[in-house]
Amino acid sequence: MVAERVAVGQRVKRLDAPPKLTGQERFTGDLRPANLLFARPVGSAYAHARIRGIDAKAARAIPGVVAVLTPEELALRQNEAGVPAKAPIAHGEALHAGHFVALVLAETDAAAQDGVAAVEVDYEPLPTLSTLDQAMAPDAPPVRQSGGGTGDDAEASMHNADAAKEAEEDDEPLPPNVSNSVHFHRGDVAAGFAEADAIVELAFDTSTVHQGYLETQSCLVTPEPLGDLTVYTSTQAAFYCRTRVAEAVGMPIQRVNVVPMPVGGGFGGKFVLIEPLVAAAAVAVGRPVLLQYGRMDDFLSGNPAPDCRMEVKLGAKRDGTFTALQARLVFDTGATAGSPLQIASILLGGYYRFPNLDLRGFEVLTHKPGSGAYRAPGAQQASFAIESAVDELARRLGLDAIEVRLTNCVVQGDERPNGNAWPRVGLKECLEALREHPAWRGREAAK
């Protein structure tokens, strides 16, 4: 038997290319089951407001409009803390501009859009917190006047389960809008900085980043004759989606079937967002329901990567050996708790060996959409901060930046900030390869 030969660097045909190149691929938004209803959301005109009433009489009178569903009519389940199931719809209080307050279902998409325009909502505007400084203030009003606001890091855990747990929390009182905090430390940072020959202190602010996929959030849920649900969705996490939908509608998990459709771009943003909401709508009317975000819906009520602020202090001896790292991270998690704070904290302090380390992180609620993943959640922000600090320290000491990294980089068995050991990691080998690369060796001549 001759083993099949696979050569690295040779062209390989993509099995999914022909249907996509010829336009024959069927995405979620292309499906049209019998009795389908198109869903369109009614979005909040305010970043923060109490919803005093919704008048949908005019909308329901439009030909083709079948229903206008409020959160009460959707009957989404709540957890033990009284927090509604993960779904981008307001329960009595709009928490960001565009936050869904109702869902219009119609026989055609045009009728659904007309219905949205005819819905009248009575708002009572409330104080808005749009920046980290406002939300972190000890005397700041709570982001959620109705209470709740807790969440979980299950989604972040799927990207790096080891780094998303075992964080240590301080007992110190926190401002009311801090939904999560972490603290990692080892050694004595004051002593570490005292023995340093050079110290750099840098601050970084990163912006919210939308994933920018071509296909917007899209989901179709079909009630089956025996009462089961079939979920056709553009998702990156089929089993997680099934669990969330089952929880939201109070149905045994084995009665929910998720069909992962071709994903027209996701980049971390398509785990679970609208699926529980669409499932609840389909259960409420007993008909298939399709919700596909418009581009503005996606910008206003998507789940972008969060903005954050990081302050880093790094010290090293004259030979480039690190002596101490101190950092403070603040992540804007929007109106829903659950950000990559813990992962970012561990990665910021985990690439290199720091005998003395103190990392404090805070996740803060604001009146913005809840956060999601974008290409390794937390890693981009943390990597940018620590690598910038390492470069600056190398310049201060007059040392080669790669040699400084090689002096301090972690290898298999080294300890992460959370106490767990690194598995086999190729950081050192990558740095050695870069050091020998002609582009690095000839960098001075290229200036």
Side-chain angles (χ1 to χ4, degrees):
M1 180 177 177
V2 179
E4 182 181 355
R5 297 178 62 185
V6 178
V8 175
Q10 290 190 356
R11 292 179 177 271
V12 178
K13 290 185 177 180
R14 289 189 51 154
L15 297 178
D16 63 339
K20 292 178 178 176
L21 292 172
T22 58
Q24 296 178 1
E25 186 67 272
R26 298 178 73 194
F27 293 87
T28 305
D30 297 324
L31 304 181
R32 293 293 184 271
N35 299 316
L36 174 66
L37 294 178
F38 294 84
R40 283 284 180 172
V42 179
S44 171
Y46 296 88
H48 190 203
R50 184 174 290 109
I51 302 167
R52 294 188 292 203
I54 298 176
D55 185 352
K57 292 179 182 178
R60 292 191 177 102
I62 293 174
V65 172
V66 173
V68 178
L69 301 176
T70 63
E72 293 73 25
E73 293 165 308
L74 287 165
L76 286 160
R77 297 297 180 94
Q78 299 184 354
N79 63 20
E80 295 179 357
V83 179
K86 182 173 181 177
I89 192 163
H91 290 253
E93 183 181 4
L95 297 171
H96 61 82
H99 197 176
F100 299 168
V101 300
L103 205 60
V104 177
L105 308 183
E107 302 280 357
T108 66
D109 190 39
Q113 293 184 55
D114 290 342
V116 168
V119 174
E120 296 184 3
V121 184
D122 183 12
Y123 296 103
E124 177 189 344
L126 297 171
T128 300
L129 302 173
S130 59
T131 69
L132 288 173
D133 290 333
Q134 292 173 340
M136 277 285 285
D139 58 349
V143 165
R144 289 178 180 264
Q145 293 199 351
S146 55
T150 59
D152 60 59
D153 57 5
E155 196 166 305
S157 298
M158 287 186 286
H159 292 83
N160 189 334
D162 180 67
K165 60 184 179 182
E166 300 185 29
E168 182 179 323
E169 295 189 19
D170 285 336
D171 294 329
E172 63 179 284
L174 297 171
N177 294 312
V178 173
S179 52
N180 188 21
S181 66
V182 298
H183 184 198
F184 298 112
H185 64 89
R186 74 165 72 102
D188 184 337
V189 292
F193 286 123
E195 65 174 313
D197 293 306
I199 297 173
V200 296
E201 294 186 63
L202 301 173
F204 307 87
D205 287 279
T206 70
S207 301
T208 298
V209 179
H210 188 275
Q211 294 85 356
Y213 32 69
L214 292 179
E215 178 203 33
T216 56
Q217 298 280 346
S218 183
C219 176
L220 165 68
V221 178
T222 301
E224 301 299 338
L226 295 180
D228 296 350
L229 291 180
T230 299
V231 182
Y232 302 88
T233 181
S234 176
T235 184
Q236 298 173 252
F239 291 100
Y240 179 60
C241 176
R242 181 178 65 172
T243 299
R244 287 297 194 181
V245 168
E247 291 174 349
V249 299
M251 184 176 287
I253 194 169
Q254 66 270 19
R255 295 184 59 188
V256 177
N257 178 39
V258 173
V259 181
M261 297 295 290
V263 179
F267 319 115
K270 289 182 177 176
F271 276 69
V272 172
L273 183 62
I274 62 175
E275 290 86 353
L277 176 63
V278 181
V283 169
V285 297
R287 292 174 61 174
V289 174
L290 169 66
L291 172 58
Q292 186 165 24
Y293 274 9
R295 186 61 62 183
M296 188 55 69
D297 296 329
D298 223 321
F299 286 144
L300 291 176
S301 294
N303 52 348
D307 57 290
C308 72
R309 178 176 300 158
M310 296 167 290
E311 299 166 359
V312 178
K313 182 178 180 181
L314 177 61
K317 295 180 180 179
R318 201 174 308 280
D319 64 357
T321 302
F322 295 153
T323 61
L325 172 69
Q326 188 173 44
R328 182 176 184 269
L329 302 86
V330 183
F331 270 77
D332 185 340
T333 191
T336 306
S339 72
L341 167 67
Q342 295 186 27
I343 296 178
S345 301
I346 288 176
L347 294 181
L348 193 148
Y351 299 143
Y352 303 103
R353 293 187 294 272
F354 301 106
N356 305 290
L357 174 138
D358 188 84
L359 299 173
R360 294 177 184 269
F362 305 91
E363 176 187 279
V364 184
L365 294 163
T366 60
H367 291 116
K368 298 178 185 176
S371 68
Y374 174 58
R375 290 298 188 189
Q380 297 174 338
Q381 298 94 328
S383 300
F384 175 65
I386 188 61
E387 299 300 348
S388 296
V390 172
D391 281 343
E392 181 62 25
L393 194 58
R395 281 191 288 269
R396 294 272 183 95
L397 293 168
L399 299 175
D400 183 302
I402 287 186
E403 293 297 342
V404 171
R405 288 174 167 85
L406 280 167
T407 299
N408 298 282
C409 69
V410 294
V411 295
Q412 183 176 357
D414 282 340
E415 186 181 9
R416 298 184 187 189
N418 64 348
N420 294 343
W422 273 104
R424 182 179 179 183
V425 57
L427 177 56
K428 183 178 181 180
E429 292 79 2
C430 286
L431 289 169
E432 288 174 337
L434 286 171
R435 180 181 58 186
E436 302 306 319
H437 195 281
W440 179 257
R441 299 178 70 87
R443 64 191 182 281
E444 294 299 328
K447 289 183 179 179

